Amino acid sequence: HGCSVVQVHALASASECRSLCAAASAAAQRVRRADRLIGLVRAPIVDLFDSQSDIDACEALLQRCVRFVQAQLPSLAKALFGEVSFETVLRNSDLVFSPGEPALNVYTQGGCFTPHEDEQSLTCLLNLSDAGSYDGGGTAFWSSEERLAVATPPSVVLRTPAGTALLFGGTVTHAGQPIRRGERCVLVASFSTAGHDCFVPHGEALVDAREPRTEECSLDALCAALAL
């Protein structure tokens, strides 16, 4: 809840990114030929990959993302997900995902994703592509004030290195910027606890039960204090 975006550097290693990019690129090429698509191929992980090892690699990265939130933002994690077990993310019956997710978005020239809000408790966007493998691209974000205006340019565009994840809540307006050259692969998962209202009251989400007294702060201030 709110408009904060947290960057998690080196969530995935260079070798993990290269391996998944190669697999995603090959799979997307097959989809393009079969469906005559250009620009963006977006497909659920379990449908895109034939290899169980590639699916397992995505599972491991999503679990890593959840563990980061649990370790660095424990009160937020508890408010959003309660006591849900994350032994698996992809096949977790306690979670609901945005349609077609967890997914791989594979962008080529002209490919983009229009501005939207995910309306889930947490979104994880993990860029898998090296900066030199494409021109353009990146993830655009709008502030709470600017998203209300029609055709307002984004507040910021983040072009993260391979392996860096972006984490944010369901009210954050964002978009995938057009690719001018090359190919960009992004692992994306937006999810909430089944039956849980993802729009958690801000104060409730940020009260840390470990403190002897109840205190509140903004997510921006919390992330700044943690130097995230």
Side-chain angles (χ1 to χ4, degrees):
H1 189 63
C3 292
S4 296
V5 179
V6 177
Q7 291 193 64
V8 186
H9 300 289
L11 185 77
S13 69
S15 61
E16 287 174 320
C17 290
R18 285 193 297 269
S19 177
L20 276 177
C21 265
S25 180
Q29 287 281 30
R30 294 193 296 270
V31 173
R32 287 192 183 95
R33 288 195 295 267
D35 297 343
R36 298 182 178 180
L37 296 176
I38 59 173
L40 170 64
V41 170
R42 172 179 165 86
I45 290 165
V46 294
D47 295 339
L48 186 67
F49 291 133
D50 295 327
S51 168
Q52 186 62 44
S53 63
D54 293 326
I55 296 173
D56 291 343
C58 293
E59 169 74 52
L61 292 175
L62 292 174
Q63 287 192 24
R64 208 173 294 168
C65 173
V66 171
R67 287 198 298 271
F68 172 88
V69 176
Q70 291 173 326
Q72 299 296 332
L73 302 167
S75 59
L76 182 64
K78 186 172 180 61
L80 295 180
F81 302 115
E83 302 302 325
V84 169
S85 170
F86 282 96
E87 293 180 5
T88 177
V89 176
L90 291 176
R91 296 177 175 84
N92 195 325
S93 60
D94 291 325
L95 300 178
V96 292
F97 293 89
S98 290
E101 295 184 7
L104 259 297
N105 292 349
V106 183
Y107 299 86
T108 53
Q109 185 175 3
C112 63
F113 210 116
T114 56
H116 63 284
E117 297 84 38
D118 294 323
E119 298 186 353
Q120 300 290 351
S121 294
L122 183 70
T123 291
C124 175
L125 292 181
L126 175 59
N127 177 43
L128 300 171
S129 299
D130 290 325
S133 63
Y134 62 92
D135 291 332
T139 305
F141 293 93
W142 283 260
S143 70
S144 56
E145 295 80 11
E146 291 172 330
R147 72 182 178 185
L148 300 177
V150 177
T152 301
S155 308
V156 64
V157 178
L158 297 179
R159 296 181 175 89
T160 56
T164 293
L166 300 176
L167 309 179
F168 50 90
T171 62
V172 174
T173 304
H174 60 289
Q177 296 294 85
I179 295 293
R180 297 192 298 270
R181 175 199 64 85
E183 183 177 74
R184 178 177 181 241
C185 301
V186 181
L187 172 62
V188 55
S190 306
F191 52 97
S192 303
T193 304
H196 179 67
D197 182 1
C198 68
F199 301 108
V200 178
H202 203 154
E204 177 186 336
L206 294 170
V207 174
D208 196 328
R210 296 174 303 172
E211 295 296 328
R213 55 195 175 90
T214 300
E215 296 181 348
E216 297 182 7
C217 67
S218 70
L219 184 52
D220 290 0
L222 182 57
C223 291
L226 292 169
L228 299 176

